[in-house]
Amino acid sequence: MEMPFDPWSPGFVADPYPAYAALRAGGRAHWFAPTRQYLVPHHADVSALLRDRRLGRTYLHRFTHEEFGRTPPPAAHEPFHVLNGHGLLDLEGPDHTRIRRLVAKAFTPRTVERLEPVVHRIAAELVDGLVADGGGDLLTRVAEPLPVAVIAEMLGIPASDRPLLRPWSAAICGMFELNPDEETARRAVAASVEFSAYLRELIARRRGEPGDDLVSALIAAHDEGDRLTGQEMVSTCVLLLNAGHEATVNTTVNGWWTLFRHPEQLAALRAGEVPLSTAVEELLRHDTPLQMFERWVLDDIEIGGVTVERGSEVALLFGSANRDPARFDDPDRLDLARADNPHVGFGAGVHYCLGAPLARLELAASFGALLERAPGLRPVREPRWRPGYVIRGLEELLVTP
Ligand code: HEM
């Protein structure tokens, strides 16, 4: 089979779904030489491997780089790896459990429910601003400021500092794309140094003057029982700030572009014929904002007759899993009323998205406000996709109310 997977090609990024169909038809695990990974395209496998403890987001809780047959990253990249490696998402085992338990308290459905009025108010204000101006870029006017404001508020980042967050996050997230180049690494390292320094200072200030925010809560946990190191605290804050908006931004913008291309479905949604929460899940499935997540293989496994040895890396293709006909009826069809929808957009297993209830609230608020307050919303022109494949989103989405 010719390898249809080409994450660096604009055509593939714009529409990876035909390539995924070819991969699924061709087998359950495909060696991809350019990134030295096995690509896993089926829903059943992605879902099972996310829950399989023989795989992990890191191997460093069990092996050194050398024991695992890997070369350590270059010393110049260390600030990025130190920052990334001590956040919740890139820890495994007892460290992951300990930090997740602490942070999870801030993201229970009940805590998130309390944010509801604020989130709806911000969404309404942003949409009203866009309408008053006669339209603009949905990304910068609504999709981005809403989740940034919410997560920054939760962490207690002063409003005047919020413009710093997006560029730092974007520079760091560049490293999550496949085979990042040296320039991407240089920018990620610079952002890691600045972002860490910023948070250390914020933490020092909050220690002297605690507030009703998550940073103060983490400091209290750290100071009382030494349950969180200083580095873990900084890394987890950065993770929350980045994970707390990147995918929500893209789900909003990609989701509206999908709706615009399905006018009958959009009309049904506007008419209230489909529950908004069901529609949001379908948009997450149909055009998954985070297309792929990787796992290290910590003990040999077998996928569809292929032995994948310890030390290998697998790339779980979420975007493909969510279009797998073995799991979803007519998977390429957008069906906003789809009832049976076990998509893997938020992952599964121990790293299942901690922010899923918050993301769902934000998406319901922004889609709801746009449907209600901008009932004639339409695109101005066809948008372009940004080059990234893993975190996949449009460059902009110009709309008129
Ligand atoms: C539509 C929006 C979102 C999507 C699609 C999404 C998706 C995901 C996925 C797939 C994972 C698991 C990655 C893996 O298994 O390797 C994850 C983890 C995570 N997400 Fe989200 N996410 C979204 C919004 C949010 C928000 C708003 C927050 C808020 C803080 C958040 C915080 C996190 C955290 C902290 C983790 C790491 C959990 C852990 O390792 O235990 N996410 N997310």
Side-chain angles (χ1 to χ4, degrees):
M1 183 182 85
E2 198 186 316
M3 174 48 77
F5 186 79
D6 184 4
W8 301 283
S9 124
F12 175 88
V13 171
D15 183 11
Y17 298 105
Y20 289 155
L23 279 178
R24 287 191 306 267
R28 289 170 52 192
H30 306 260
W31 176 248
F32 185 56
T35 56
R36 308 190 53 74
Q37 293 171 320
Y38 289 93
L39 307 176
V40 178
H42 288 94
H43 186 278
D45 290 325
V46 169
S47 179
L49 293 175
L50 282 170
R51 296 171 168 89
D52 192 325
R53 303 311 291 144
R54 292 172 299 173
L55 292 92
R57 289 208 35 115
T58 180
Y59 48 82
L60 293 171
H61 60 305
R62 283 189 48 193
F63 308 102
T64 62
H65 292 296
E66 291 73 20
E67 285 164 351
F68 207 62
R70 298 271 151 184
T71 36
H77 297 180
E78 204 173 294
F80 165 78
H81 289 287
V82 168
L83 182 62
N84 196 51
H86 288 84
L88 182 57
L89 182 55
D90 279 78
L91 291 170
E92 291 289 351
D95 289 336
H96 175 263
T97 312
R98 170 173 53 88
I99 301 181
R100 175 139 180 151
R101 207 177 290 139
L102 282 175
V103 182
K105 286 186 199 143
F107 290 93
T108 61
R110 195 131 45 87
T111 325
V112 169
E113 218 175 80
R114 272 201 305 242
L115 292 171
E116 228 176 286
V118 178
V119 176
H120 282 283
R121 181 179 50 73
I122 303 173
E125 283 169 9
L126 291 167
V127 172
D128 288 350
L130 180 77
V131 171
D133 289 350
D137 181 6
L138 193 67
L139 192 149
T140 53
R141 297 296 304 269
V142 178
E144 191 176 276
L146 177 65
V148 169
V150 173
I151 193 69
E153 190 66 39
M154 287 180 83
L155 281 150
I157 307 278
S160 55
D161 293 344
R162 288 176 199 169
L164 296 166
L165 300 179
R166 268 298 276 179
W168 281 335
S169 173
I172 289 171
C173 287
M175 289 298 270
F176 305 134
E177 294 300 330
L178 294 166
N179 294 355
D181 61 19
E182 231 354 89
E183 176 56 20
T184 305
R186 201 193 52 71
R187 269 191 256 128
V189 166
S192 301
V193 171
E194 288 176 23
F195 208 166
S196 300
Y198 173 82
L199 280 164
R200 281 186 209 289
E201 204 207 305
L202 182 79
I203 290 166
R205 254 187 291 145
R206 286 280 176 284
R207 178 165 274 131
E209 229 178 282
D212 185 22
D213 54 79
L214 188 48
V215 170
S216 301
L218 292 177
I219 294 170
H222 168 265
D223 290 354
E224 280 162 26
D226 200 27
R227 281 177 293 171
L228 203 64
T229 67
Q231 181 59 57
E232 286 169 346
M233 196 144 63
V234 169
S235 296
T236 296
C237 288
V238 168
L239 170 69
L240 289 170
L241 287 165
N242 293 358
H245 77 275
E246 289 287 347
T248 317
V249 173
N250 290 330
T251 308
T252 311
V253 178
N254 302 1
W256 272 98
W257 179 234
T258 300
L259 289 176
F260 289 143
R261 283 173 300 149
H262 295 82
E264 282 162 32
Q265 300 251 341
L266 176 54
L269 188 60
R270 282 193 172 126
E273 289 160 20
V274 182
L276 181 53
S277 54
T278 312
V280 165
E281 296 305 311
E282 175 67 346
L283 293 172
L284 278 161
R285 180 197 72 82
H286 188 265
D287 205 16
T288 305
L290 301 167
Q291 287 279 316
M292 185 197 96
F293 278 95
E294 295 152 329
R295 290 290 188 272
W296 295 107
V297 176
L298 308 173
D299 293 300
D300 295 1
I301 56 171
E302 194 192 296
I303 310 172
V306 177
T307 300
V308 181
E309 291 179 351
R310 168 186 291 174
S312 312
E313 199 180 23
V314 294
L316 307 176
L317 303 181
F318 284 25
S320 174
N322 285 341
R323 294 280 193 113
D324 186 347
R327 189 58 194 86
F328 300 98
D329 288 338
D330 203 355
D332 292 329
R333 194 166 74 87
L334 179 77
D335 175 7
L336 294 181
R338 190 180 290 272
D340 179 25
N341 188 0
H343 68 77
V344 290
F346 288 116
V350 295
H351 293 287
Y352 178 80
C353 179
L354 190 63
L358 178 61
R360 287 182 165 125
L361 164 61
E362 290 172 349
L363 294 168
S366 76
F367 277 90
L370 282 158
L371 288 168
E372 241 173 64
R373 305 169 98 91
L377 196 74
R378 56 188 192 283
V380 170
R381 60 168 184 245
E382 184 166 346
R384 277 197 311 254
W385 292 88
R386 278 199 323 261
Y389 156 70
V390 176
I391 303 177
R392 178 169 165 275
L394 296 171
E395 221 145 57
E396 58 172 24
L397 183 58
L398 297 181
V399 292
T400 173

